[in-house]
Amino acid sequence: MKDLFDKIYKDKGPLGKWAEQAEGYFVFPKLEGPISNRMRFNGKEVITWSVNDYLGLANHPEVRKVDAEAGAKYGSAYPMGARMMSGHTDLHEQLQKELATFVNKEAAYLLNFGYQGMVSTIDALVSKDDVIVYDVDAHACIIDGVRLHLGQRFTYKHNDMESIEKNLKRAEKVAEKTGGGILLISEGVFGMRGEQGRLKEIVALKKKYTFRLFVDDAHGFGTLGKTGAGAGEEQGVQDDIDVYFATFAKSMASTGAFIAADDEIISYLKYNLRSQMFAKSLQMQLVEGALKRLDMLRTMPELKEKLWENVNALQGGLKKRGFDIGTTQSCVTPVYLKGSIPEAMALVKDLRENYGVFCSIVVYPVIPKGLILLRMIPTASHTMDDINETLEAFSAIRDRLEDGTYKRLSAAVAQAMGE
Ligand SMILES: Cc1ncc(COP(=O)(O)O)c(C=O)c1O
């Protein structure tokens, strides 16, 4: 009989197989120093474009003060136990109320982590007779939530209304037979390419089809909409989102997440979300920290204004220089270049070492072969100098990509990788 670990010794998986070439640099890099527009990487200062600290709250002195005071007051243990058993407090309730009000829903419920919370919410919302319809480019937490589903599921082509409708029709046929309902899941903002989910058009389909809409608005919350309530507010359809999700890990610069919906739905989820029923409650330091951050989202619109000033300067500057930034409709700023994986590695190394610009790099199989995606997250803490230096650097590396410099520099790696 085979040893269970045999396959692990042989194959480290689609990303793990690159560990030798990539670890510590392209993956698991160590960014050091306070979270800000400029941090240290490999002993050098770099302009940081890969931290989802949209509103620049991570290292804001008021936030740091509240985090430190809450840490001193409660330690990291309090409260002990799951919410249902012994981990419930007034402050958890207060934060839920304030979050619900902020996103214009009747009620909200806290989640310890966005990822687990999404998985668990999907699991709790459907039973085997129900059908899930979701975007093929959905975040891993949606895919994993759908994996738990015992009934039928259909993916639709990314943000494609025709495909959405086709799959709603298929779902309807199944649901009519099983006697179940339909859950449609979209993201408010797709985190790789920055497109908003087509929520307005999806909501319009509610006139033709019976389904409930669940939106993961991780990147939209705090960054989109007049008040920062997210992609639903931005598109004028917040009321038609049946279950709204956002994480604290991006614009709130923290850990934790929440779902918001009608009172009756949240009351149900509160008793059926396995990730919350069987896991320790969100620790108090995070709850107090989230109350402070939410207050800043509400009372300091200048943070979002500064964020968008930077987003517009960066995206506008890239477009003016002829870069392909795809179809982003959010702060997420992708830059698409043409090249192989070894060329991408040489290019990113050059960008980091010689131009002091740190951004994330995405290659095949996440995006089609031959494309390099450099993904940037502008924040309110970036300056015009950061943006201008980065634009200059991007023009320089594009020239070097086009004149074959990176092909030459990466020839040995390409050969070793069989590219
Ligand atoms: C779209 C989306 N959903 C969910 C999550 C998970 O949130 P968390 O980091 O709170 O687990 C992320 C990433 O953070 C995300 O980008």
Side-chain angles (χ1 to χ4, degrees):
M1 207 183 113
K2 261 194 186 164
D3 172 9
L4 177 83
F5 285 177
D6 274 354
K7 62 179 180 300
I8 296 174
Y9 298 138
K10 276 199 205 105
D11 178 5
K12 302 262 176 287
L15 286 175
K17 71 177 180 189
W18 300 113
E20 223 168 276
Q21 289 94 339
E23 193 161 316
Y25 201 88
F26 301 104
V27 290
F28 298 100
K30 289 177 190 154
L31 277 170
E32 292 166 328
I35 296 165
S36 67
N37 55 331
R38 292 190 186 233
M39 296 174 72
R40 292 189 76 75
F41 176 66
N42 257 2
K44 283 191 196 143
E45 185 184 89
V46 286
I47 307 172
T48 341
W49 294 108
S50 62
V51 177
N52 293 321
D53 180 23
Y54 285 117
L55 299 174
L57 294 183
N59 206 32
H60 193 288
E62 285 182 44
V63 167
R64 291 294 298 259
K65 186 165 175 278
V66 169
D67 285 354
E69 284 171 2
K73 186 167 168 194
Y74 296 105
S76 60
Y78 192 79
M80 288 298 289
R83 289 287 295 281
M84 246 183 182
M85 308 305 280
S86 50
H88 189 53
T89 74
D90 281 344
L91 284 185
H92 284 72
E93 273 182 1
Q94 185 189 332
L95 177 57
Q96 287 173 174
K97 275 203 189 106
E98 291 192 20
L99 285 165
T101 307
F102 186 74
V103 299
N104 227 350
K105 293 283 171 208
E106 282 178 10
Y109 198 65
L110 291 173
L111 309 163
N112 296 348
F113 288 98
Y115 196 109
Q116 292 163 6
M118 275 300 294
V119 170
S120 204
T121 305
I122 295 170
D123 176 48
L125 286 173
V126 290
S127 61
K128 73 173 184 0
D129 296 334
D130 299 323
V131 187
I132 301 178
V133 176
Y134 66 109
D135 195 291
V136 73
D137 276 359
H139 188 271
C141 64
I142 297 174
I143 294 171
D144 287 357
V146 173
R147 277 181 179 167
L148 291 180
H149 181 41
L150 297 173
Q152 282 263 40
R153 80 281 317 262
F154 297 113
T155 52
Y156 57 82
K157 284 187 204 155
H158 174 59
N159 245 354
D160 180 321
M161 291 316 297
E162 209 176 294
S163 178
I164 292 177
E165 198 161 354
K166 192 170 125 196
N167 282 287
L168 277 172
K169 281 191 184 128
R170 290 167 83 189
E172 232 180 17
K173 272 196 193 131
V174 175
E176 270 159 16
K177 268 195 211 137
T178 59
I182 300 171
L183 178 67
L184 195 151
I185 311 171
S186 175
E187 286 176 50
V189 171
F190 289 86
M192 271 306 152
R193 307 194 226 182
E195 292 149 344
Q196 287 182 41
R198 293 171 76 170
L199 306 181
K200 196 170 175 175
E201 288 150 284
I202 292 173
V203 159
L205 288 176
K206 282 189 168 187
K207 292 206 180 85
K208 273 170 91 177
Y209 305 93
T210 305
F211 64 92
R212 292 292 184 175
L213 175 59
F214 182 19
V215 173
D216 173 344
D217 202 22
H219 290 271
F221 177 76
T223 70
L224 291 178
K226 192 162 175 281
T227 69
E233 184 186 39
E234 176 86 17
Q235 298 184 35
V237 291
Q238 184 71 354
D239 290 351
D240 299 292
I241 294 175
D242 297 291
V243 184
Y244 178 87
F245 161 96
T247 170
F248 299 159
K250 304 194 192 284
S251 61
M252 297 265 274
S254 186
T255 300
F258 71 97
I259 38 170
D262 285 353
D263 230 342
E264 219 173 322
I265 304 306
I266 293 297
S267 301
Y268 173 83
L269 289 171
K270 185 168 141 180
Y271 283 88
N272 292 279
L273 274 182
R274 294 170 68 80
S275 70
Q276 297 311 118
M277 293 159 69
F278 302 106
K280 187 174 183 288
S281 170
L282 193 66
Q283 61 159 208
M284 202 60 117
Q285 188 184 19
L286 298 174
V287 174
E288 280 220 348
L291 279 163
K292 173 67 189 169
R293 289 157 169 83
L294 184 60
D295 187 49
M296 291 172 80
L297 257 66
R298 270 191 309 246
T299 59
M300 297 172 72
E302 63 273 21
L303 295 172
K304 188 157 69 73
E305 281 158 21
K306 179 75 174 88
L307 164 68
W308 275 96
E309 201 181 302
N310 287 341
V311 172
N312 292 330
L314 180 69
Q315 295 187 354
L318 286 164
K319 277 200 241 168
K320 212 163 148 196
R321 287 166 187 255
F323 282 99
D324 175 7
I325 65 166
T327 45
T328 180
Q329 301 163 311
S330 68
C331 308
V332 177
T333 304
V335 175
Y336 299 93
L337 297 166
K338 288 198 177 77
S340 64
I341 295 179
E343 279 177 294
M345 289 162 91
L347 175 151
V348 166
K349 204 160 183 199
D350 197 21
L351 198 54
R352 290 182 186 175
E353 301 300 324
N354 302 319
Y355 295 93
V357 173
F358 188 102
C359 61
S360 306
I361 163 184
V362 185
V363 291
Y364 178 81
V366 181
I367 55 169
K369 229 178 187 149
L371 270 188
I372 304 169
L373 165 54
L374 299 176
R375 178 174 172 270
M376 290 194 276
I377 302 289
T379 73
S381 56
H382 284 105
T383 65
M384 283 303 151
D385 280 350
D386 297 335
I387 293 168
N388 291 330
E389 261 183 60
T390 301
L391 291 173
E392 285 297 316
F394 266 66
S395 293
I397 57 131
R398 180 177 52 190
D399 290 347
R400 284 158 75 74
L401 178 66
E402 285 171 1
D403 73 14
T405 303
Y406 300 129
K407 193 168 250 153
R408 281 195 300 282
L409 285 173
S410 64
V413 180
Q415 201 178 15
M417 285 166 64
E419 281 276 326

